[in-house]
Amino acid sequence: MTNSTKMVTVTTRSNDWTYSSLLEQGEKFLSPDEDEARQAKRRRILAAATELISIHGYRKVSVDEIARRAHVAKGTVYLYYKNKAEILVHAIAEEKMRYLLHLKPVLDKELEPHDRIKGFIRLTLTLANEMPILSKLLQGDREVLLVLEEMDATLRDEIIEKRQDFFRHLIHAAAGPGALSEEDEVDRARLLSSLIYSGGAFFDDRIRHGLSIERFAEVLADVVVDGLVNPVEESRSATRESA
């Protein structure tokens, strides 16, 4: 990879990764400037889509079926969404909004930065089963992944950039100012993103070798953040001394 390519992929960290700001961003994306009636109709459409896709898969579900399940006309669905792919993107966003409530403690600025990253990893792995479409993503559902590749490029790039920016924010806070170069922060954010989206492999009991998903997620988070052989307290002390 050339230096010029690296410069293109580096983004500026946000200083406003709070629960309230993320909630505001999510609500604006899901129901921009709409009254309660329109918001309620959107929620019905997304709930119907989530249920059908989680049962039958993306390709086997039609917009007609989504409309019938939501008790709206097919034309009404198209008043809200351009196509089925856009419905899927918004259904995933709505799932993440429900996940956001669980993430609230992790976003607490009083929490130790290391524990923020650990909490994020644990929550992502243990709560996935409560979010059907996210679970399909983590388990490598090719239909869902291919649709995300087909979505509007500008929107896709914006989502990826925000996700990487959030991971960089977590890593920068834990490492301390100046501890990592900008390039290292970006690369580690990519690695964390890859780990999260490979989480579906850990749903298999055979992969976890008898560990519960909760215990597996806890140990994995400790190893990723503190290292395989370093005790937690020693690792944190070393980080604080070098900061």
Side-chain angles (χ1 to χ4, degrees):
M1 182 182 290
T2 64
N3 289 334
S4 59
T5 303
K6 289 178 181 177
M7 288 178 64
V8 170
T9 57
V10 169
T11 60
T12 303
R13 287 187 310 274
S14 169
N15 294 318
D16 193 28
W17 287 111
T18 63
Y19 172 77
S20 58
S21 68
L22 291 174
L23 185 63
E24 182 179 351
Q25 290 177 40
E27 290 176 343
K28 185 177 180 180
F29 176 72
L30 285 168
S31 52
D33 301 324
E34 291 182 340
D35 58 31
E36 291 185 6
R38 286 183 62 85
Q39 289 181 19
K41 195 164 290 185
R42 275 188 185 275
R43 286 194 293 270
R44 290 213 312 273
I45 293 170
L46 295 181
T50 298
E51 181 182 357
L52 291 169
I53 292 171
S54 64
I55 295 172
H56 304 293
Y58 176 81
R59 296 294 180 191
K60 293 182 179 179
V61 174
S62 68
V63 174
D64 280 320
E65 291 171 313
I66 293 173
R68 284 196 296 271
R69 183 61 61 92
H71 302 292
V72 300
K74 180 179 178 180
T76 300
V77 175
Y78 286 115
L79 290 176
Y80 291 88
Y81 304 105
K82 295 177 182 177
N83 49 45
K84 192 172 66 169
E86 190 170 293
I87 296 173
L88 176 65
V89 171
H90 282 76
I92 293 171
E94 189 180 57
E95 279 194 344
K96 288 184 176 181
M97 285 290 284
R98 294 197 296 273
Y99 166 78
L100 188 59
L101 181 62
H102 296 282
L103 192 62
K104 188 175 182 179
V106 177
L107 297 170
D108 186 348
K109 292 184 178 180
E110 298 301 316
L111 189 65
E112 176 83 22
H114 285 70
D115 290 331
R116 277 189 233 144
I117 302 179
K118 290 181 181 182
F120 182 78
I121 294 173
R122 288 196 301 267
L123 285 169
T124 300
L125 295 181
T126 57
L127 292 175
N129 285 332
E130 298 180 21
M131 295 177 282
I133 299 181
L134 179 60
S135 179
K136 283 182 173 291
L137 271 174
L138 294 181
Q139 294 182 59
D141 187 305
R142 293 302 302 165
E143 287 187 351
V144 176
L145 292 173
L146 287 173
V147 171
L148 294 181
E149 288 298 315
E150 296 168 2
M151 67 186 287
D152 178 79
T154 301
L155 177 59
R156 182 184 66 241
D157 292 345
E158 180 181 350
I159 292 172
I160 292 173
E161 183 175 342
K162 284 183 179 296
R163 183 175 67 231
Q164 298 294 78
D165 191 36
F166 173 64
F167 291 153
R168 282 191 66 199
H169 169 78
L170 294 177
I171 292 167
H172 179 81
L180 296 172
S181 69
E182 187 177 38
E183 181 183 334
D184 281 339
E185 285 185 359
V186 171
D187 288 345
R188 292 178 188 214
R190 288 171 174 159
L191 185 145
L192 183 55
S193 180
S194 296
L195 173 66
I196 295 301
Y197 281 93
S198 300
F202 307 138
F203 296 164
D204 191 324
D205 291 339
R206 295 168 296 182
I207 298 295
R208 300 196 309 272
H209 298 288
L211 290 177
S212 68
I213 186 63
E214 291 79 13
R215 178 57 179 161
F216 185 91
E218 180 183 1
V219 174
L220 178 64
D222 284 342
V223 170
V224 169
V225 178
D226 296 316
L228 186 63
V229 297
N230 293 327
V232 173
E233 289 304 319
E234 288 185 15
S235 177
R236 288 182 183 170
S237 298
T239 300
R240 284 195 292 266
E241 290 173 4
S242 63

